[in-house]
Amino acid sequence: MTETLKVTVEQHNGVAVIHTEGYINNQGGEEIARVAYRLVDEEDQKNLLLNLAGTKIVNSIGISILIEIIERILEIEGKLAFCCLTPTIEKTFHIMGLAQFAGIFEDQQAALAALES
C-alpha cells in the first residue's frame, strides 16, 4: 500500500478536477485540502471534482478532512463531487453522510456534466 498521496489538477470548463493516487489518510487528506483551498482561495474556483480512480483506501481522518473541504465549498456556494470511487469507498461515503452534500458519480464525464450545468 502506498503511504503517500499524489495529487494532480486539471481544468474542465470551470471545474477543477483533482485526481488522487494513493492512500487518503491524514497526510493525503491534508494534501487534498491544501490543493482544494488553494484553488478556492487563490484561483476563485467554486466547483471541484475529486476523481478518486487512483485511490483504493480512505481512512476516518481522511474522510473528516474531506468533510471540511465540503463545508468550505458550501460556504462559498460552490459545488463538490466525487467520481470513480471503489464500491467500498462509495458505500463508506454514503454511510458517513458525504453523499448528502456532495454528488457521487460513476465516472468523470457524468460528474463534469452535473457540475458544469
Side-chain angles (χ1 to χ4, degrees), residues 46-57:
K46 288 190 169 191
N47 297 327
L48 303 180
L49 171 61
L50 270 73
N51 182 329
L52 303 187
T55 293
K56 306 301 178 217
I57 300 174

Side-chain angles (χ1 to χ4, degrees), residues 11-60:
Q11 295 288 335
H12 281 275
N13 298 324
V15 178
V17 182
I18 301 172
H19 296 268
T20 64
E21 186 175 329
Y23 183 30
I24 301 179
N25 56 9
N26 61 322
Q27 293 173 332
E30 288 173 5
E31 178 62 14
I32 294 170
R34 184 189 65 75
V35 170
Y37 296 154
R38 177 182 52 80
L39 290 165
V40 168
D41 296 333
E42 297 176 16
E43 300 180 23
D44 291 328
Q45 193 75 53
K46 288 190 169 191
N47 297 327
L48 303 180
L49 171 61
L50 270 73
N51 182 329
L52 303 187
T55 293
K56 306 301 178 217
I57 300 174
V58 181
N59 74 5
S60 59

Side-chain angles (χ1 to χ4, degrees), residues 24-97:
I24 301 179
N25 56 9
N26 61 322
Q27 293 173 332
E30 288 173 5
E31 178 62 14
I32 294 170
R34 184 189 65 75
V35 170
Y37 296 154
R38 177 182 52 80
L39 290 165
V40 168
D41 296 333
E42 297 176 16
E43 300 180 23
D44 291 328
Q45 193 75 53
K46 288 190 169 191
N47 297 327
L48 303 180
L49 171 61
L50 270 73
N51 182 329
L52 303 187
T55 293
K56 306 301 178 217
I57 300 174
V58 181
N59 74 5
S60 59
I61 296 173
I63 289 173
S64 71
I65 294 171
L66 294 176
I67 291 170
E68 291 174 6
I69 295 169
I70 291 170
E71 290 173 344
R72 177 74 175 110
I73 294 297
L74 293 175
E75 286 175 5
I76 63 166
E77 299 180 359
K79 297 178 188 173
L80 185 135
F82 298 96
C83 72
C84 306
L85 309 178
T86 67
T88 301
I89 291 174
E90 182 174 349
K91 183 177 178 182
T92 302
F93 282 11
H94 280 282
I95 291 169
M96 299 295 290

